[in-house]
Amino acid sequence: MKDDLHGYLGGGRDALLWKLDGLSEYDVRRPLTRTATNLLGLVKHAAAMEILYFGLVFGRPFEQELPYLGDAAETNADMWATAEETREEIVALYRRASSHADTTIEALALDDVGRVPWWGDAAVTLHQVLVHVVAETQRHAGHADIVRELIDGAAGLLPSNDNLPPADEPWWREHRQRVEQAALDAGNRGT
């Protein structure tokens, strides 16, 4: 079970990082939702999650203190990159955070217990934390997929397996138009 969960975590990590490939500095940082969701911020946040859940929760401190984590941190500071933070630094941080998490996952049994201070100091098992972080990572990979599609139309799970129907651009245009027409028709029925 641990290997399965760890594998899904790795898949989410790969998908999240892939969404940065080939984009400009502006595009990886640009906020495309009301809440400022952006690709590099999602990676920075995912790094913070792994540092906290697989580090602090199990008493395994990370090598570096991060100013955007902790009680004194600015709200949402882990969800975007400042102009001074480079893509390379954030990606490297995510890789180090993932490696640190992997060490924790490999060292502990699924029933080993840690404590989550931000959950009222709740006692949790590695199994619970793994399920939580897999779900969060995959959720954010989904966010990244949508944000990337808004930027340049690129979509899919991974470069080697996009997990999309085999269709060309004319098919996608026609499909989108059909979905739009169904929405318009349903909207007109409701008025």
Side-chain angles (χ1 to χ4, degrees), residues 30-174:
R30 95 191 228 214
L32 288 166
T33 68
R34 181 186 67 79
T35 58
T37 302
N38 64 90
L39 294 171
L40 198 55
L42 288 168
V43 173
K44 184 177 173 182
H45 173 70
M49 280 191 332
E50 294 210 22
I51 288 166
L52 292 172
Y53 281 103
F54 294 111
L56 181 68
V57 166
F58 292 101
R60 301 170 69 86
F62 188 63
E63 67 193 43
Q64 171 186 0
E65 280 199 34
L66 303 172
Y68 50 85
L69 296 179
D71 296 337
E74 174 189 332
T75 301
N76 247 20
D78 66 322
M79 294 296 293
W80 64 286
T82 66
E84 293 76 29
E85 292 173 307
T86 69
R87 174 194 328 215
E88 292 76 20
E89 289 169 342
I90 291 173
V91 168
L93 172 68
Y94 189 38
R95 291 184 198 285
R96 288 193 329 274
S98 297
S99 177
H100 184 259
D102 291 344
T103 300
T104 297
I105 293 164
E106 290 161 9
L108 301 179
L110 285 176
D111 60 353
D112 282 348
V113 176
R115 300 199 85 71
V116 183
W118 52 95
W119 291 357
D121 205 34
V124 293
T125 63
L126 176 64
H127 179 250
Q128 290 169 305
V129 167
L130 256 170
V131 168
H132 178 76
V133 176
V134 167
E136 281 293 306
T137 302
Q138 293 289 350
R139 178 176 182 248
H140 293 314
H143 293 143
D145 197 32
I146 292 167
V147 170
R148 177 66 189 250
E149 189 171 357
L150 289 169
I151 292 169
D152 67 358
L157 181 62
L158 292 168
S160 61
N161 175 17
D162 64 16
N163 208 27
L164 296 169
D168 58 12
E169 274 309 306
W171 185 91
W172 282 111
R173 278 194 300 279
E174 183 179 318

